[in-house]
Structures are given as structure tokens and as C-alpha cells.
Amino acid sequence: MVRRVVCPGSFDPVTNGHLDIIGRTSRLYDEVVVAVLINIEKKSLFTVEERIEMLQEVTKEYGNVRVEKFHGLLVDFAKQQGIPTIVKGLRAVSDFDYELQMAQLNYRMSGVETLFMSTNPEYSFLSSSRLKEIARYGGDVSGLVPDLVLRLLVERLRG
Ligand code: PNS
């Protein structure tokens, strides 16, 4: 039996914090499906296709990561893909309330389990939105995102 897990998110763009969770998860499971949320209500910097391409490029070294997009409920996507487990990174206690509620609702709706992985402390302050804000105003975000993402981020923000 193939042990599959899903790592969901917006990934606008993928950060080294995300990659740390995806990479560590890839050592625990046979296959990791990174699921990019299609959210038409939220304005994003990168299109879903751009985010998928970046994720494919930066996760290819793991060898067992597949990148997909989804819309609607995450648990419907997980069921449809035959995935029983969601893995989420927890950066701090402040993430916990929100994540716990979502995990409980997801379990209640579908029986799909959520496992939490503690973020590497090196990235516990990191979020895609903070990162974009810093980069937008010319701050240095090198070391917080993969080099490819850094290049695309600077290109996009400088228009
Ligand atoms: O990177 P993000 O934006 O924090 O990721 C949030 C995500 C995509 C994991 C979450 O918003 C999600 O699962 N959305 C899909 C809609 C859904 O299933 N909602 C019900 C949650 S109880």
C-alpha cells in the first residue's frame, strides 16, 4: 500500500518554511501531494500555474513529491485522490487555534486526519504575506525563499 499525504496551501509563493515541511514529510511518506488552493476571492501575486511550476522545480530533488491544484474543500480533494492524511506546519501557538479548528472540522466532515509538524525555528517567523511585503519595499528576503523564487519575486515586484 502506498502511503500518501497531502500538504495543502496557497504557496504564493513557496518559502523555505514550506519547503522544510514538505522535505521532512517526504522522508516519512511514500508520496507527498502538494495541493495548491485555487482561490478566486484572494488576490495573488503569482498565478496558480506559476506557483505550481515553482513548487515542481524546488521539490524535484525529493523524488516523491507531486504538485496538484484544487478548489473547494480540501477533504474532497484528499478523498478523491485516496489520501487519508493532511500534514500542516505549525509555526507558533498563534497558528494552533485556527489549525486545530480546521483539523477538527475536516475530520468531522470526512474522517481525513491532520498531523501537525513543528516548523524549523529558523523559519518560525516566516509567512508568504510578510515576505511579499518586505520584498515589495526593497527588503532583503534572500535565504527565506529558494533562489528561483527570489528571482521571480524580485522580477514580479519590480514589474
Ligand atoms: O497557505 P494557506 O493559505 O494558509 O492555506 C490554507 C488552506 C489552503 C490549507 C485552507 O484554506 C484550505 O484547506 N482551504 C480549502 C477550503 C476548505 O477545505 N475549507 C474548510 C476548512 S475546515
Side-chain angles (χ1 to χ4, degrees):
M1 199 183 91
V2 181
R3 289 170 313 139
R4 275 198 195 91
V5 68
V6 59
C7 286
S10 302
F11 303 105
D12 186 40
V14 57
T15 69
N16 284 347
H18 294 130
L19 258 192
D20 173 60
I21 298 290
I22 296 167
R24 285 158 62 205
T25 303
S26 78
R27 295 201 287 272
L28 301 173
Y29 286 87
D30 298 320
E31 187 180 39
V32 178
V33 177
V34 174
V36 181
L37 176 68
I38 303 168
N39 186 351
I40 45 170
E41 276 151 41
K42 204 165 143 189
K43 203 176 162 326
S44 62
L45 184 62
F46 293 101
T47 66
V48 171
E49 301 309 327
E50 287 170 331
R51 285 180 257 161
I52 290 176
E53 270 178 41
M54 282 186 252
L55 277 160
Q56 280 169 337
E57 188 58 33
V58 300
T59 59
K60 69 177 180 207
E61 70 185 83
Y62 302 130
N64 62 345
V65 175
R66 174 156 61 91
V67 187
E68 301 282 351
K69 58 187 167 192
F70 78 103
H71 59 83
L73 293 177
L74 173 60
V75 291
D76 287 343
F77 172 80
K79 286 257 166 192
Q80 189 195 321
Q81 298 268 325
I83 306 174
T85 314
I86 300 164
V87 163
K88 288 286 196 79
L90 277 188
R91 288 169 296 196
V93 179
S94 49
D95 281 343
F96 188 68
D97 270 355
Y98 170 76
E99 291 294 348
L100 179 67
Q101 196 180 33
M102 213 151 47
Q104 289 169 329
L105 281 165
N106 280 336
Y107 183 76
R108 170 77 191 248
M109 284 191 285
S110 65
V112 172
E113 297 282 5
T114 299
L115 303 181
F116 294 117
M117 182 176 275
S118 56
T119 299
N120 183 331
E122 212 182 320
Y123 305 119
S124 60
F125 52 82
L126 189 54
S127 71
S128 296
S129 41
R130 295 261 154 75
L131 184 99
K132 284 181 281 192
E133 190 175 51
I134 296 169
R136 184 168 287 126
Y137 295 111
D140 181 14
V141 294
S142 52
L144 301 180
V145 286
D147 288 346
L148 164 81
V149 176
L150 180 65
R151 200 159 36 78
L152 294 171
L153 191 60
V154 169
E155 233 174 69
R156 178 63 46 97
L157 290 170
R158 296 208 177 137

